Amino acid sequence: MISVQRDDFDHCEQYLALKEEADGDGAVVTFTGLVRDFNVQGAVSGIHIEHYPGMTEKSLMRICSEARKRWQLGQIRVIHRVGRIGPQEQIVFVGVTSKHRKNAFDACEFIIDYLKTSAPLWKQEGTSEGMKWVASRLSDKEAMDRWLNTTNLS
Amino acid sequence: MIQIKFFASLRERLGTSSLNLQYAGENTVADVAHELVERGEEWRFLEERDVLCAVNQTLCGKDAKINDGDEIAFFPPVTGG
């Protein structure tokens, strides 16, 4: 299940849905990203996320199918919010089920790393000088690069 | 006709989110970028190295082939998540 939405989501509901759909899988791993209330320059009063409608959904589906090629997975749920999001609010959710925990942990991390470097989403932060576009981070690219040489691990 | 879209800081710098270009046999995304750059100084950064592009909503390199009717997008490095 993939969703790009303005509204907030209920993390517990997502976990319960994954648990219901797990169908014998022994592991559920979830990741929830929150809006930080600080950055290198100081306090952040919230963010605004712009995206490329259509391509965002397509790229999230592609990321999930790449994950399925690498690990044997059950269910995958990815939610990304767009528009205005306040400090400490939820911004992204990734949930994965698998027979074994290692696959679920790895796939969940792979999906968020891949999303951060390839899904067409752009963040603006509210600073004391107004809204500022966030620059991409080398550490995100390095996190993704770690996966490039991994083959099918399941 | 080719539809061209711009996002985020690129959209702001150009002051436009999309435009249509009559297809004139351009081979690649780089050809289209080059054609836009010839319109004037403010388009020049389309050829900067960190500008990403997509053809028909799939991320690709600037050497990607294009055809009449394609949707091409230019945007800065992504920062979601």
Side-chain angles (χ1 to χ4, degrees), chain A residues 97-114:
Chain A
T97 77
S98 183
K99 291 212 163 22
H100 303 289
R101 71 179 185 285
K102 182 93 173 75
N103 286 355
F105 271 123
D106 287 351
C108 188
E109 195 176 13
F110 170 84
I111 290 168
I112 190 67
D113 285 348
Y114 201 172

Side-chain angles (χ1 to χ4, degrees), chain B residues 27-78:
Chain B
N27 268 320
T28 64
V29 174
D31 291 345
V32 173
H34 190 67
E35 219 173 291
L36 292 170
V37 166
E38 283 182 345
R39 290 182 170 205
E41 194 65 24
E42 69 271 29
W43 296 85
R44 236 165 120 182
F45 53 85
L46 278 184
E47 290 189 323
E48 280 173 12
R49 264 183 63 200
D50 67 346
V51 169
L52 302 178
C53 57
V55 174
N56 298 327
Q57 305 190 348
T58 300
L59 210 55
C60 60
K62 304 235 169 66
D63 56 350
K65 296 266 180 271
I66 58 155
N67 291 295
D68 197 6
D70 281 350
E71 176 178 306
I72 300 171
F74 293 97
F75 42 81
V78 301

Side-chain angles (χ1 to χ4, degrees), chain A residues 50-62:
Chain A
E50 176 173 333
H51 77 123
Y52 183 172
M55 180 170 167
T56 312
E57 291 81 352
K58 234 169 127 170
S59 103
L60 295 180
M61 278 189 266
R62 191 197 177 102

Side-chain angles (χ1 to χ4, degrees), chain A residues 50-55 58 62 80 91-92 115-124 133-136, chain B residues 5-9 11-12 52-59 71-73 75-81:
Chain A
E50 176 173 333
H51 77 123
Y52 183 172
M55 180 170 167
K58 234 169 127 170
R62 191 197 177 102
H80 205 296
I91 166 170
V92 62
L115 181 158
K116 275 181 165 284
T117 52
S118 76
L121 295 142
W122 301 274
K123 208 177 277 161
Q124 276 180 306
W133 291 105
V134 173
S136 62
Chain B
K5 294 186 169 184
F6 308 99
F7 290 93
S9 56
R11 171 181 56 73
E12 281 188 352
L52 302 178
C53 57
V55 174
N56 298 327
Q57 305 190 348
T58 300
L59 210 55
E71 176 178 306
I72 300 171
F75 42 81
V78 301
T79 53

Side-chain angles (χ1 to χ4, degrees), chain A residues 3 13 20 22 29 35 39 42 65 69 81 116-118 124 130:
Chain A
S3 176
E13 235 171 58
E20 288 303 308
V29 170
V35 176
N39 70 2
S65 64
K69 280 187 210 160
R81 289 179 66 197
K116 275 181 165 284
T117 52
S118 76
Q124 276 180 306

